[in-house]
Amino acid sequence: MDHGGTRPSSGGGELSLAERIARSAELKRELVAFALQPRFDRERRHLLRAQFGKRLVADEEELVNAFDGFLQHPLRGGATVLEKFVSSRPDLSEQDRELLLRWREPVEGVFEVRRREGDAVIVENLIDELTYEVYSNMGPSVFTQLEPGGFMIGRIVPIGSAWLVSGSFACYAETERAAVCSAAYEATMRHPLAAFRNPEKLARARELVAVEHVRIVEFFGDDIVTIHGPQQT
């Protein structure tokens, strides 16, 4: 069955980053078409209602990002739309399958723009303090509004050794730093594990836990303490 879209060359060898980005655009279109099938209508509507409630959503960026999140949202049975798509396509090459399945590892962040570098934008995530080389399969023109010192808030997914914008992203000027940093703080409080993508932060957290464990054992004589109700007051 012909599912449309061009296929990567079967001449062997790894795809270049530029080829991966071009191929990602084709695969994303096919994935979106798959996700819009009637069999997913019920769960798609449920997810959108859970996210937006009864309010009227007129912001296209919100809808784009909600639908993009739906692609990676577990359905009944546990599999995501993305995983069901890959399973339904035995014609996909191993490189295509790897490219798609790595999209299960998105990073949602508040990114400070460091510089433009060719077709990419180099950003630092204020949540995990890691640096990312980010591309768009819609071309570098989508980054026109981003200036060094400014910010973007959105979702990125891995592609080769770099990252790719997934869904839509919001741009903020350097003058809005206070509000953006506040948004990064709130996001970290809602999803604290996101910060631990940074191995240095994870190692530091483990060190602090180990120190506190020693203090508790020294004070109480054990790391399991039973306190009766009246004693808690």
Side-chain angles (χ1 to χ4, degrees):
M1 181 182 294
D2 183 4
H3 293 272
T6 60
R7 300 287 185 270
S9 170
S10 58
E14 288 291 321
L15 295 178
S16 68
L17 179 58
E19 289 172 324
R20 287 174 186 264
I21 292 171
R23 182 60 178 150
S24 76
E26 299 168 351
L27 292 171
K28 187 64 174 284
R29 285 192 293 270
E30 295 173 22
L31 172 59
V32 168
F34 178 82
L36 289 172
Q37 291 180 18
R39 60 173 163 151
F40 299 122
D41 283 353
R42 181 178 178 182
E43 292 188 80
R44 188 171 59 246
R45 286 196 299 267
H46 177 76
L47 181 67
L48 292 176
R49 279 197 299 267
Q51 184 160 344
F52 298 118
K54 295 183 179 180
R55 71 183 177 90
L56 178 65
V57 182
D59 190 320
E60 183 179 357
E61 286 187 356
E62 279 190 288
L63 288 173
V64 167
N65 287 329
F67 184 80
D68 196 68
F70 172 68
L71 301 177
Q72 299 156 358
H73 181 74
L75 305 174
R76 285 173 294 178
T80 64
V81 174
L82 171 62
E83 290 165 337
K84 285 182 175 291
F85 172 71
V86 173
S87 296
S88 74
R89 294 288 301 275
D91 61 305
L92 292 173
S93 70
E94 282 304 312
Q95 291 186 73
D96 282 347
R97 292 174 63 84
E98 178 190 3
L99 188 155
L100 284 163
L101 291 176
R102 289 199 68 201
W103 292 354
R104 295 180 296 184
E105 308 163 21
V107 172
E108 297 192 28
V110 179
F111 304 95
E112 182 172 0
V113 179
R114 293 305 188 192
R115 63 187 183 277
R116 292 288 301 273
E117 197 169 278
D119 290 345
V121 59
I122 309 301
V123 299
E124 180 181 338
N125 189 353
L126 300 185
I127 294 173
D128 60 27
E129 298 181 4
L130 293 174
T131 300
Y132 297 84
E133 178 184 347
V134 181
Y135 294 82
S136 170
N137 57 25
M138 297 177 67
S141 61
V142 301
F143 298 135
T144 300
Q145 299 180 60
L146 295 175
E147 297 290 339
F151 303 89
M152 60 177 276
I153 298 179
R155 180 187 296 114
I156 59 176
V157 293
I159 184 162
S161 59
W163 295 81
L164 189 71
V165 171
S166 187
S168 185
F169 63 88
C171 303
Y172 297 89
E174 186 175 8
T175 54
E176 299 176 273
R177 172 177 292 275
V180 171
C181 288
S182 177
Y185 171 79
E186 291 173 2
T188 304
M189 292 298 99
R190 288 195 304 272
H191 306 287
L193 291 180
F196 297 135
R197 290 197 73 260
N198 186 327
E200 292 183 1
K201 283 182 172 289
L202 180 58
R204 179 57 178 156
R206 286 172 171 165
E207 288 175 6
L208 292 174
V209 169
V211 168
E212 291 305 313
H213 179 266
V214 169
R215 288 176 177 172
I216 288 173
V217 172
E218 288 178 347
F219 185 82
F220 291 104
D222 201 341
D223 58 2
I224 298 178
V225 181
T226 302
I227 301 177
H228 299 290
Q231 292 179 283
Q232 295 184 38
T233 59

